[in-house]
Amino acid sequence: MRRLPVSAVPFLAASLLAVPLLAVTGCAGDSPVGAEPSTSTTYAPATPPASSPTPSPSPTPPCVPTAGMDDAQRLAYLKDLKYDEIPSMAALSLTDSGIRFTPDRARRPCEAVPVQVSHFRVDTTRYQEEGKPTQAPLFTLRPLPGAPTQQRFRYSFSYEALSTVTVDVGPEEGGVPPSRPPATEKCAGTLSVVHIGKRITVEELPKELDFSVDTRYGTAWNSVDLSADRVLDAVFLPPPIPDLC
């Protein structure tokens, strides 16, 4: 066997002692080759979404409670109630289409208000002199379309009660179809009255009526004034061609 020189022994011993030190140093400090250093992630707590504000309820329009009113109070209330857009006009009116209700929004009723509508037939006969009825002519002149009719004769007439119905008006604005006046006939018009309380009698109806109509505005009716305090409005629909009656 070959022996190493004595001078090489100390160097070899020093080299062998250095290897464990390097290995120990690598485990304690640097990461192994090819390995990624471990990292830890800290997450912030999730922020809850902002809640939208609760919408405030719309203000309820003012209204007048009418459920506890008697006939006199309801009558006074409706007579004093004005048209929403034209304060000089009444909120309740009657036309050939029936009741139209357009109350002031600040004073509208909180609930429907019952009213009565009485209908009367108006049988018509024309005359010229001293109340003597005349025979209808074979031909009669008609006005041009859109022109107001001319009342060339006088008319005698009589009333016949047809019906009385109770209808509700309000609380919102709009028409009341059940209050529509009956259709006219050749020599019979209709008179309709809106009132509260007891029925309207024939004796309370007007002694004079306007048989002329103006078709330029699409109307074939005339408003009527009655002296009875419980009346709210009235309308007269003349016969279509009273000159032939």
Side-chain angles (χ1 to χ4, degrees), residues 27 59 100 108 124 130 133 135 138 177 182 211 213-214 223 235 238 241:
C27 294
R100 178 70 181 173
R108 66 181 183 85
T124 306
E130 299 178 358
Q135 183 178 1
L138 295 178
F211 282 79
V213 293
D214 191 342
S223 294
V235 65
I241 310 177

Side-chain angles (χ1 to χ4, degrees), residues 130-150:
E130 299 178 358
K132 182 179 180 180
T134 60
Q135 183 178 1
L138 295 178
F139 300 96
T140 182
L141 296 177
R142 291 190 177 185
L144 295 176
T149 60
Q150 301 295 324

Side-chain angles (χ1 to χ4, degrees), residues 203-218:
E203 290 72 24
E204 295 175 296
L205 300 179
K207 302 300 186 288
E208 293 185 3
L209 292 172
D210 184 1
F211 282 79
S212 63
V213 293
D214 191 342
T215 59
R216 289 176 297 179
Y217 303 102

Side-chain angles (χ1 to χ4, degrees), residues 23-170:
V24 171
T25 302
C27 294
D30 297 338
S31 301
V33 178
E36 295 182 358
S38 61
T39 59
S40 61
T41 304
T42 302
Y43 294 95
T47 303
S51 59
S52 57
T54 303
S56 57
S58 302
T60 303
C63 63
V64 176
T66 58
M69 292 184 177
D70 57 23
D71 287 352
Q73 292 171 327
R74 285 187 288 115
L75 181 64
Y77 165 69
L78 289 177
K79 280 190 172 184
D80 188 57
L81 188 60
K82 300 303 181 183
Y83 182 23
D84 183 47
E85 298 181 359
I86 308 176
S88 60
M89 295 180 60
L92 187 151
S93 59
L94 184 62
T95 71
D96 57 341
S97 298
I99 292 176
R100 178 70 181 173
F101 189 59
T102 51
D104 180 354
R105 295 183 184 276
R107 298 194 65 245
R108 66 181 183 85
C110 297
E111 50 274 319
V113 182
V115 300
Q116 288 76 46
V117 185
S118 294
H119 301 294
F120 298 86
R121 176 186 172 99
V122 184
D123 291 308
T124 306
T125 303
R126 73 185 183 97
Y127 67 91
Q128 285 180 314
E129 296 179 359
E130 299 178 358
K132 182 179 180 180
T134 60
Q135 183 178 1
L138 295 178
F139 300 96
T140 182
L141 296 177
R142 291 190 177 185
L144 295 176
T149 60
Q150 301 295 324
Q151 187 166 327
R152 297 179 297 166
F153 300 94
R154 295 180 63 84
Y155 306 93
S156 63
F157 55 88
S158 60
Y159 296 111
E160 178 185 348
L162 295 177
S163 63
T164 296
V165 296
T166 298
V167 298
D168 290 332
V169 296

